[in-house]
Amino acid sequence: MIGQSIQRVEDPRFLRGQGRYVADIRLPGMLEAAIVRSLHPHAHIKAFSKDKAETAPGVVAVLTPADFARAGATEAARRAGVAFPLVADDTTHYLGEPVGVVVAESRYAAEDGCEMVEVDYDSLPAVAGIDAALAPDAPRVQAGSQSNLAVEKITAYGDVEAAFRTAEIQLEEEFYIARAAAHPLEPRGILAAPDMAGGGLTIWAATQTPHWLRRFLSLFLGIAERTIRVIAPDVGGAFGSKAGNYPEDFLIPFLALKLNRPIRWLEDRQEHFLATLQGREQKHRIKIAAKADGTLLAVDDAFWMDMGAYPAWPHLMENTARTMPGPYHLPNYRCVMRGVLTNKTPAGPYRGAGRPQGNFVMERMIDRLAAAGGLDPAQVRRRNLIRAEEMPYATPIGRVYDSGNYPETLDKAIELIGYERWRGEQARARSEGRYVGIGLAAYIEDTGGAGPYEGASARLETDGSVTVYSGAPSSGQSHETTFAQVVAKRLDMPVERVRIIATDTSHPSLGLGAFGSRSAGIATGAIWEACGKLAERLKEIAATLLEASAEDLELAGGAVRVKGTPAKTVPLERLGQLGNAVSLAPLPAGVLPGVEETAYMPSRPQYGNGTHACIVEVDAQTAEVRLKSYVVVHDCGTLINPVVVTGQVHGGILHGISTALFEELRYDEAGQLLNGSYMDYLLPTASDLPEMTVEHVEYPSPFTPTGAKGAGEGGTIPAVACVANAVEDALRPLGVRIRDLPVRPDRLWEEMNQRR
Amino acid sequence: MKPVRFDYYRPETPEEALALLARYGPDAKVLAGGQSLMPLINMRLARPRVLVDASGMSALSYIREQDGFIAAGAMARQAEIEETAWLRKKCPLLSEAVKFIAHPAIRNQGRIGGSIAHADPAAELPAVVKTLGATIKVRASRGEREVDAEDFFRSFLTTCLEPDELVTEIRFPLLGENTGWAFEEVARRHGDFAIVGVAALLGLEHGRISLARLTLAGVGEAPVRAKKAEQMLVGSAPGAEAFRAAAESVKASIDPSSDLHASEAYRRHLAGVLTARALGKALDRIQREA
């Protein structure tokens, strides 16, 4: 069952519009909330008048920063370790920061109420870029701080200086990757309903991490975790943006308890541009040292991450630093990470979560190295790749690359893209004044390392079907299908008889969520173990019925049988009825009821890996970049469902291409967002994409029970560099260098012009 | 993204619609497809007190040939223009340009009259209407008038329409013999409003250019006719040299501005490149027909 591209269980309801999202859930007496948001990137709130709003039709309550402070919410959030204030107290730090909440009978009335709230701002000087924030006389984002440099860390090994002293090739470059955001189809949303029996809450939230949210709510509200139930219904995409928590995740439950009414807040698309964590923005200064033959000697990188107004996710910088050495032997390495505060929306995870930037600068420099040394870029990569016989490979930074054949993915990608043929085509095109380029990027994707563990419970039902509960909800990754395939494999039963519920903190009682590409390896690991324990339990029961020893039994075809004796079987249905004691008849001697088992899988990173290759043509006159062909050779270990994985890779490539060519949140110097709608913020669509060929190679991970490695971000991580490499390769006759992303046609034309 | 409160009417005849417009004047806005207006209303950037939904006026959704014209009712869907096979012969520039408008779902809702009345200077249809020398029929309760496309577009999102007036029909003259056409565009993504778009019409007689019409989208406050370049072209021999000169003339005559998607210089450059390309393609088409 593992390895088959069965149809997605989720598809019928999604295709028929029968998915059930937070926006589809209405409770009796439910109120709707709208957030009053700061119109200023940095301002002092002089006065806040809610009188008019409070008397507006349909408005039930208007809450100001002072109200939240008086009610103890501000202090409670700080105590709970929330990384940002729930509402700005007397100063706003970014455009769109919550300053108040209006609760009303409808969202329409709530938005009308927001317009009637009068906030008197005293504008303060703001900083909206890394360089501006680090200027000595820059206004401080957080008043009273020494500087806007909030975090500084270093990762280093070997002797970088010594390597540079002897290196035949030394190169230095600066790169900048623009700010972008995840933009799932469904924005965020939360519905909180007070438990009428007293004290507790039921929450429906568009979240990747229901257990995590429950934990923080418990700390914030000061009530026990067991009194809070968090449900993630259907979630329409997340890409990291729905992991962790946000001010609204606390404001809405707090208000539901305070007003004793169910309250829902649905983020709209305009808010999403301001209120949801953004990502990607980094500036790098990288030096690379190599031998004349392209052998890497050292990388010395310093980068600055624009963290926005609050340092909510500083460890994303470590993802960048860890990804940079990639699939290569790199004897000396130093990476200085600096997190910089600006008056912008806080930065957080967006598919790749720091890794695409690390891969980008490294893969860009490998191409530069090839050009500087007169070497073929494929050959430089091949020379430095860690080889299959070195697996598992302990890296100098203390990670273990578990499995794979990195050179094989490179060779296959080169073959599939038609590398040699395109080099010929490139020469021909150049003689005609056309610019064709070939891009390559090799990568590793560290998956499944985040969080301590994942949990799962498996229960045999009275009809012989199996229900499995997991802490990793799907936001589009088909967990209901792929997890069921794992169960069917482990219990040797029909996949249609498996039901997956990964939506609710009630089951399993301990879990963490779906992020960091941890579901394929870690969540299924917990499921595998829970099913293994269940299988043992079923054999125990069956042993008494079959008058055989449990060791002589096996699960096969939806039954337990004596090994090699298909005639002596007990169907799962019978075991389900016995185990659940539904018949109320006396159980056979020695049989105890209960056919539900729980297990946990500790996190341990597995390394997806592969190579991307693409062909672009840059229009000589208009500087438009056209992607002509795209190839991926991809290893995520055992494929649970190949079509689902290919879909993940396709979507991932799209996000990578998007970072390379399209997406960019443009702020002016004062911190105002200039392109806060889809008119001006460019998300690519199907018509902007090339044909994509994805080939899988399977090197199972020794660290996961199924051999699967995560696959959520491998499409994105190298795609950014791959496209940028191809554009620079196309324009090599002109000597155009791609330093800043996204590649914008007007900027590119400017560059081409300067060199013609 | 919820609109402020408004009153909604869905008249079924132009007469009813015109009565509403006469009553509410500038407080009313006509909804003709809604692909631009609805986002503006939902973002509260537009706050009409009254919305007159024109989609009930099925009498205005025709596309037909009559009296030597192609007549399109204001409520003809862009998708229908795209899919009407005979239009590709009779009014091919229109058919070609419509494909550049957004995506199928939007073309299903978008109406020709809505796009023209909205008058986005980077939109395709206003440029086509001007290039083809269309006539726009406009009605109010107090009477009807015909406006030459040349006089219709005033500036950014502004036309000569009075608050009580409704576009009812757009009339395109039929193309003569030996006439080629082309629509060329550069946009950041397929379906976006043009960074620059060029609509071209080229006619030949006795080996010389007898007709040249060029309109640019995205380079000004309204679609811009390149009249100087047109005059240069008429009478000259068709070919790369004349087209290059026309392109230079276009570049010199326009006054584009910079925005998030393109600098002023890039827009000017594109105007030249696309002018030459459009003229080249138009010439190709004449030669292929011949």
Side-chain angles (χ1 to χ4, degrees), chain A residues 215-236:
Chain A
R215 172 81 186 143
F216 269 87
L217 276 177
S218 156
L219 292 171
F220 165 69
L221 296 168
I223 61 178
E225 279 191 64
R226 67 182 154 71
T227 63
I228 304 169
R229 181 180 176 200
V230 178
I231 300 163
D234 283 328
V235 175

Side-chain angles (χ1 to χ4, degrees), chain A residues 217-296:
Chain A
L217 276 177
S218 156
L219 292 171
F220 165 69
L221 296 168
I223 61 178
E225 279 191 64
R226 67 182 154 71
T227 63
I228 304 169
R229 181 180 176 200
V230 178
I231 300 163
D234 283 328
V235 175
F239 314 114
S241 69
K242 293 171 182 171
N245 43 50
Y246 285 89
E248 297 87 356
D249 295 333
F250 300 98
L251 293 171
I252 302 304
F254 175 84
L255 288 171
L257 285 179
K258 186 177 158 71
L259 301 177
N260 204 27
R261 297 273 293 269
I263 302 179
R264 185 172 70 175
W265 169 75
L266 299 171
E267 185 184 54
D268 69 29
R269 192 55 74 177
Q270 260 184 312
E271 289 182 286
H272 186 79
F273 272 98
L274 305 173
T276 288
L277 294 172
Q278 304 172 349
R280 294 278 191 268
E281 190 169 9
Q282 287 184 359
K283 175 184 152 175
H284 283 255
R285 189 173 296 147
I286 184 170
K287 292 198 291 178
I288 187 167
K291 291 187 195 169
D293 67 359
T295 304
L296 289 170

Side-chain angles (χ1 to χ4, degrees), chain B residues 14 106 111-112 118 151 163 171 173 223 233 287:
Chain B
I106 289 171
R111 317 297 175 115
I112 185 169
H118 187 61
D151 305 322
R171 285 191 164 197
L233 285 164
Q287 290 167 343

Side-chain angles (χ1 to χ4, degrees), chain A residues 387-400:
Chain A
R387 295 181 306 278
E389 59 270 24
E390 296 175 86
M391 294 293 167
Y393 177 84
T395 73
I397 52 171
R399 290 290 180 125
V400 177

Side-chain angles (χ1 to χ4, degrees), chain B residues 119-122 130 153-156 158 216-225:
Chain B
D120 191 308
K130 260 183 124 164
F153 303 99
R154 290 282 161 82
S155 71
F156 186 71
T158 308
L216 288 94
V219 299
E221 298 230 304
V224 174
R225 270 279 295 286

Side-chain angles (χ1 to χ4, degrees), chain B residues 69-222:
Chain B
F69 289 95
I70 304 298
M75 292 304 286
R77 290 175 198 270
Q78 291 157 3
E80 203 182 330
I81 292 170
E82 182 186 6
E83 287 154 17
T84 302
W86 61 263
L87 262 185
R88 274 172 231 153
K89 284 231 174 308
K90 295 281 185 174
C91 199
L93 180 61
L94 182 61
S95 302
E96 177 157 286
V98 158
K99 294 194 188 87
F100 287 92
I101 301 173
H103 300 281
I106 289 171
R107 296 198 289 270
N108 282 339
Q109 289 299 330
R111 317 297 175 115
I112 185 169
S115 173
I116 285 167
H118 187 61
D120 191 308
E124 291 81 3
L125 287 173
V128 168
V129 163
K130 260 183 124 164
T131 305
L132 292 174
T135 303
I136 294 149
K137 284 175 101 171
V138 170
R139 267 180 76 182
S141 291
R142 57 196 158 80
E144 187 173 27
R145 59 183 177 133
E146 293 191 353
V147 183
D148 192 300
E150 208 53 42
D151 305 322
F152 187 77
F153 303 99
R154 290 282 161 82
S155 71
F156 186 71
L157 305 185
T158 308
T159 65
C160 70
L161 285 174
E162 297 294 332
D164 65 342
E165 285 182 321
L166 190 69
V167 173
T168 54
E169 184 181 284
I170 298 102
R171 285 191 164 197
F172 299 95
L174 293 172
L175 299 186
E177 292 282 295
N178 277 328
T179 306
W181 74 93
F183 193 91
E184 290 284 316
E185 177 174 308
V186 168
R188 286 296 305 274
R189 300 168 300 182
H190 176 81
D192 279 342
F193 280 101
I195 291 177
V196 177
V198 176
L201 214 53
L202 194 70
L204 293 193
E205 244 172 67
H206 311 301
R208 295 266 155 185
I209 297 172
S210 56
L211 164 82
R213 290 180 79 101
L214 284 167
T215 311
L216 288 94
V219 299
E221 298 230 304

Side-chain angles (χ1 to χ4, degrees), chain A residues 363-376:
Chain A
E363 290 297 313
R364 298 288 296 110
M365 291 311 277
I366 299 256
D367 262 30
R368 289 285 174 81
L369 170 59
L375 305 164
D376 178 80

